[in-house]
Amino acid sequence: MAEFTMDLNDEQKEVRDWLHGFAADVIRPAAAEWDEREETPWPVIQEAAKLGIYSLDFYAQQFFDPSGLGIPMAMEELFWGDAGIALSIVGTGLAAVGVLANGTEEQIGTWIPQMYGDVNDVKVAAFCSSEPDAGSDVAAMRTRAVYDEAKDEWVLNGTKTWATNGGIANVHVVVASVDPALGSKGHASFIVPPNTPGLSQGQKFKKHGIRASHTAEVVLENVRVPGSCLLGGKDKLDERLARSREKAQKGGERVKNAAMATFEASRPAVGAMAVGTARAAYEEALEYAKTREQFGRPIIDNQGVAFQLADMRTSIDAARLLVWRASWMATTGKKFENAEGSMSKLFASETAKKVTAQAVQILGGNGFTREYPVERMHRDAAIYTIFEGTSEIQRLVIARTLSGMPIR
């Protein structure tokens, strides 16, 4: 088991510097344009693919880093460049994690490569869990999956919302209810292969931030997928459902559902994204404070500004520590006995919102204009306290974990 350390080895430092260079030279120059266009930045994704950043091999290398720091380090650097473009580059990863967390070896080998495509034909994937009436309350999910035993097919019906890459994805991973009576314990995840009849894109959302990332509804109308597209297989599902029914009759115990398994694995990574955005805003504010003069001296000489910058840097470093700890724990198989994954996501996302707001304040009127990137960073940061579990839900998870109450 790898010991927890804050010291990156030479290989990790090389990867970090490589990603930082890509973020500085490719992502940042394109950020304002794609934010205004509110479109998927395919040329940037293509460039990332050419360099090997947008690829299964790259994310596998980071995912299996024995220290656990590969993924958070990568996320921080890419999101330091720009949150919207970075999410377009890494959004496929959530669907891939869904398959890794719940799929068989055969399913992992079959579907994850199709999520990325190749250098000459780049693809993206989508993870579809939230619904118009089921966001934080996953037990309220209405999308249904019914098994057609005669054809060995699952029939999916429902509407998903807030799906990154929804509708434009080559592969969709869809969470659906197979036993509504069990609530969230009756959920399962399904692969919807490319060009499957019945799947269509609904409304594309025009968002406050992360505008370069495609977010849309996904509509499923009698979507039929082979039995082999049930992640984990039917035997495993039947066993899990039987245990859940038995435990429900005895008063209930906590059973991990498919969507929760994906979110637990990805929350520290989201925290790393927030750290990247916060760090970018802090660096902009620091440089501005050192060069902007008022009353004959740089504004950083004023305690009101200097103390804000001190607090910003302290919060960013604390957030990174929580994210790295949670990532190390997940990789080394340590249980989140105190909801450390949710802690990391909660603190990092709240830090990003606060730090970007402080950056706007330090830049004053300039910070309120699109001529300076902190305005965009402030808009982008708002998403971190919302997606993959709101801050309120993170606090609920932490509180229930500490108290020993079940997490539903």
Side-chain angles (χ1 to χ4, degrees), residues 299-361:
I299 63 173
I300 198 171
D301 285 351
N302 299 310
Q303 278 190 353
V305 173
F307 283 9
Q308 282 195 78
L309 288 164
D311 288 343
M312 292 159 74
R313 177 58 186 266
T314 300
S315 295
I316 291 167
D317 282 11
R320 185 183 296 108
L321 277 166
L322 285 170
V323 166
W324 283 22
R325 179 186 69 168
S327 300
W328 171 76
M329 290 177 67
T331 298
T332 55
K334 291 186 175 294
K335 293 182 179 180
F336 289 163
E337 293 182 352
N338 297 301
E340 288 85 354
S342 289
M343 284 184 186
S344 70
K345 198 267 185 185
L346 170 65
F347 190 81
S349 60
E350 294 288 347
T351 293
K353 281 191 70 173
K354 183 177 180 180
V355 166
T356 55
Q358 288 173 306
V360 170
Q361 190 69 25

Side-chain angles (χ1 to χ4, degrees), residues 216-250:
E217 291 182 332
V218 174
V219 180
L220 303 130
E221 297 179 309
N222 293 319
V223 172
R224 286 182 167 268
V225 299
S228 60
C229 286
L230 166 64
L231 290 181
K234 194 168 186 305
D235 289 344
K236 183 177 179 181
L237 172 65
D238 289 341
E239 291 174 7
R240 178 167 62 82
L241 293 177
R243 289 197 306 269
S244 297
R245 294 184 188 112
E246 181 181 353
K247 289 173 182 177
Q249 291 175 351
K250 293 180 179 179

Side-chain angles (χ1 to χ4, degrees), residues 25-37:
D25 299 339
V26 180
I27 294 179
R28 283 205 166 182
E33 175 189 351
W34 291 100
D35 178 71
E36 291 287 346
R37 292 175 63 168

